[in-house]
Structure formats: structure tokens, C-alpha cells
Amino acid sequence: DIAACAGLSNWTSPITLWAKKTGQIPDEVTPNMSMKLGTILEEPILQLFADEHPELEILTTGTWANKEEPWMRANPDAIYADSTGEFGILEVKFSRDYWTAVPQSYRAQVLWYMRVFGLKKAKLVALAGSSYQEFDIEWDQFEADALFAAAIRFRNHVVQMLAPQWDGSNSTLETVKKLNPNISDGEVDLDDLGQHYFNKLDEFERVEKELNELKSRVLSAMEGKKRGLVYGDHMI
């Protein structure tokens, strides 16, 4: 959950995670096709990594707790040991998209695991966009400290039943809808909040029109071609 705690998840906002952890909405996820494929392909990807690295000992594992902070948990896909006996975290991922770098949410997850175990090395292996990829993740103390601070803040929000800060994610919007399922007759004075909302709504409608105009102009300028270049780079 560390990526969501720190606001780095593309799927779950801090408010959504907080509502789940405090029992206000169900803490369940309906697996989509990517999630199902990730589960099915985890073992073959791990085996492929082992075949590519006979010099490493691969140890599958379970859920662990930090000795000093037992609330800190980690359940890596595996741990590896090199020829010197040094251990590292091994995490396996599947993605429909090709990666040029480790997504921020996955990097946060691996750094959290490293902190829980007290390890300084990790490898993330992925089948991303039909491409087998390996990434070394080195320990970063500053980044790990920031994630730890985010976890502490989030844990305090849960314990004190105080919601995290608002954000603009779809996850938060859908959670608020779930938290307010019934509409009753009545009025509420929104005042400054309501005025701010309508100002942004007007701004959004204006920008949306400008974006649609640019989409039309770009589509016309491409003259049926598949790719559009911006100063020589493939952008569209």
C-alpha cells in the first residue's frame, strides 16, 4: 500500500485507501484482465529470470514484518542471494505498456520492501509491452525516508479517523460517491467552495473547447498519417 499512502499510485488515492482501512468502504478489488495476467504470469517470469541468472539463488518467500516497527510489512515475490551471500529483493511485474524506466509506484513498493528487510539491493523483472525487462534498484536513503514519513502520516490518519488531504484523482471522486450514496431533500450553503467550483467549471469548459479545436486541427494536419512528429520527435 505504500504507493497509495504516498500519493504515487495511479489506481488508489490516499483517501480511497484510508476509507478502506477504516472500514468505510469495502476493501476489495475486482481483478481486471491485466491483474489476472499478472497473477498467471508471475511464476513463469520468475522462472525466466532464474534461467537467465544461474549465478543467483532465488528464494520464494511470504509476508514479513520489520523487527523494530512490526506494522511495517513486506511480501516480495522472492529474495535473491548473489555469490557473495548478499541478499536483495526480487519483484515481478506484468504490464501491457513498454517501460523505459520503473514506474514510480513500483519503485516505491520495492524501496519499502528494502527498508522492511534492511536490504540495499533489489531487482525488478517485468514482462512489459511484450518485452522482457530487468531493472536494478539501488537504495536511496532520502527517497526511503520520504516514503517512511508518508506511511507514518497515513497511519496517523487511519488511527485518528481523519481523512488525508483532498486530491484530484478519479479514485477519490469515486470513493466520495460511495461514502455518500443517498441523496435527501435539503440545502447546504457552499459559499466560497461553491464559487470556486463554478469558477473551475467555467475554466474547464473553456479549456476543453480549446483542446477539441487543437485535436481537430492536428487530425486535419496529419492528413491520414499514422504518426505525428514534433520537431523531429514522435509525439502523437
Side-chain angles (χ1 to χ4, degrees):
D1 293 324
I2 187 61
C5 290
L8 301 175
S9 172
N10 293 327
W11 306 281
T12 305
S13 71
I15 286 180
T16 296
L17 185 63
W18 169 79
K20 289 181 176 181
K21 296 300 183 184
T22 54
Q24 298 181 75
I25 62 174
D27 188 4
E28 57 187 27
V29 177
T30 302
N32 57 29
M33 185 54 66
S34 292
M35 295 169 66
K36 292 178 181 179
L37 287 172
T39 300
I40 293 171
L41 294 173
E42 179 180 308
E43 186 173 343
I45 295 172
L46 187 59
Q47 183 59 55
L48 180 58
F49 176 85
D51 293 342
E52 292 292 311
H53 294 278
E55 76 282 5
L56 299 178
E57 182 181 6
I58 311 299
L59 308 168
T60 54
T61 182
T63 300
W64 297 75
N66 182 273
K67 290 182 178 180
E68 297 178 356
E69 301 284 354
W71 58 270
M72 295 177 61
R73 305 294 174 88
N75 55 339
D77 294 321
I79 295 174
Y80 68 88
D82 61 21
S83 58
T84 69
E86 184 176 4
F87 290 97
I89 298 294
L90 180 57
E91 189 66 17
V92 177
K93 298 296 181 186
F94 168 81
S95 174
R96 295 178 182 271
D97 302 319
Y98 179 81
W99 295 352
T100 56
V102 177
Q104 199 173 23
S105 60
Y106 293 152
R107 177 177 173 82
Q109 179 186 358
V110 173
L111 281 171
W112 180 261
Y113 289 172
M114 294 167 76
R115 181 158 191 152
V116 171
F117 278 87
L119 301 178
K120 304 300 182 182
K121 297 170 61 177
K123 293 181 181 291
L124 190 148
V125 56
L127 181 61
S130 300
S131 176
Y132 175 82
Q133 296 181 284
E134 294 181 13
F135 300 91
D136 288 313
I137 299 180
E138 299 293 336
W139 177 253
D140 186 303
Q141 188 67 49
F142 177 82
E143 198 172 350
D145 286 346
L147 291 172
F148 181 75
I152 291 292
R153 287 195 302 271
F154 181 81
R155 188 165 183 260
N156 287 337
H157 282 299
V158 172
V159 171
Q160 299 172 18
M161 283 294 292
L162 296 174
Q165 290 185 340
W166 293 105
D167 61 77
S169 68
N170 287 330
S171 174
T172 291
L173 180 59
E174 292 304 314
T175 294
V176 173
K177 290 179 180 178
K178 292 178 182 178
L179 292 174
N180 297 273
N182 300 318
I183 304 298
S184 60
D185 190 25
E187 296 179 345
V188 174
D189 291 328
L190 297 175
D191 299 332
D192 289 346
L193 176 61
Q195 186 62 56
H196 187 56
Y197 168 79
F198 282 111
N199 288 343
K200 286 298 179 182
L201 184 60
D202 288 341
E203 182 180 341
F204 170 77
E205 291 175 348
R206 175 180 58 79
V207 172
E208 186 178 36
K209 289 180 180 179
E210 293 176 357
L211 180 60
N212 285 336
E213 177 194 338
L214 288 170
K215 286 181 179 179
S216 298
R217 292 170 62 184
V218 166
L219 185 60
S220 176
M222 290 180 67
E223 298 179 337
K225 299 298 189 297
K226 184 177 181 179
R227 292 179 296 276
L229 304 180
V230 180
Y231 299 114
D233 292 328
H234 176 208
M235 301 290 290
I236 300 174

